[in-house]
């Protein structure tokens, strides 16, 4: 079996319609912060979910697959998502100001002042 397929065996439980599975898959994907909104399209036929779209990285792809593979009534998942070519092997970049503004300025304790008197003699 090709690597982009996942088959889930049913335990004889009640079957959901393809429309019900598709609606729940879309809802799950929309609630997952790791999956960009409206980037993954869902198609369901006979309980098999097919995902299509272009994502930024493997983390997003894995999150989308996990979201739909755990749905009740899913017989299998076919992954037709792709990772955006220009984002592969590119380090994530965040503007310096965004990082600096995310953290409050560091408070430093004042350095101790020299004592006013010399220490007592033994």
């Amino acid at each position: 079996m090709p690597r982009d397929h996942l088959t889930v065996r049913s335990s004889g439980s009640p079957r959901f319609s393809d429309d019900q599975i598709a609606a729940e898959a879309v809802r799950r994907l929309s609630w997952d912060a790791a999956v960009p909104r409206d980037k993954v399209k869902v198609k369901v036929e006979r309980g098999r979910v097919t995902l299509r779209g272009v994502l930024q990285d493997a983390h997003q792809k894995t999150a989308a697959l996990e979201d739909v593979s755990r749905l009740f009534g899913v017989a299998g998942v076919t992954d037709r998502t792709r990772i955006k070519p220009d984002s592969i092997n590119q380090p994530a970049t965040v503007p310096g100001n965004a990082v600096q503004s995310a953290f409050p300025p560091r408070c430093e304790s004042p350095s101790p002042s020299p004592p006013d008197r010399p220490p007592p003699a033994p």
Side-chain angles (χ1 to χ4, degrees):
M1 180 170 278
R3 197 173 152 194
D4 62 352
H5 292 274
L6 170 69
T7 301
V8 180
R9 306 242 184 254
S10 172
S11 62
S13 51
R15 181 164 149 65
F16 284 104
S17 73
D18 289 345
D19 289 341
Q20 289 172 313
I21 294 170
E24 183 61 17
V26 168
R27 188 186 75 75
R28 287 269 179 101
L29 291 168
S30 70
W31 276 93
D32 190 338
V35 180
R37 216 174 251 285
D38 301 324
K39 294 294 183 185
V40 178
K41 304 300 177 204
V42 176
K43 180 179 177 185
V44 182
E45 291 181 8
R46 294 181 307 226
R48 288 199 62 82
V49 177
T50 300
L51 300 179
R52 294 183 187 277
V54 179
L55 300 168
Q56 295 293 322
D57 56 45
H59 175 71
Q60 292 175 347
K61 185 177 185 114
T62 300
L65 288 170
E66 287 177 355
D67 288 342
V68 299
S69 66
R70 295 178 181 163
L71 291 176
F72 189 75
V74 171
V77 178
T78 301
D79 179 26
R80 297 284 186 236
T81 60
R82 294 178 294 121
I83 296 175
K84 191 174 178 181
D86 61 347
S87 64
I88 297 175
N89 297 326
Q90 295 291 325
T93 59
V94 178
N97 291 344
V99 173
Q100 290 172 351
S101 64
F103 296 99
R106 194 170 119 192
C107 296
E108 305 238 354
S109 58
S111 58
S113 306
D116 292 338
R117 297 182 266 155

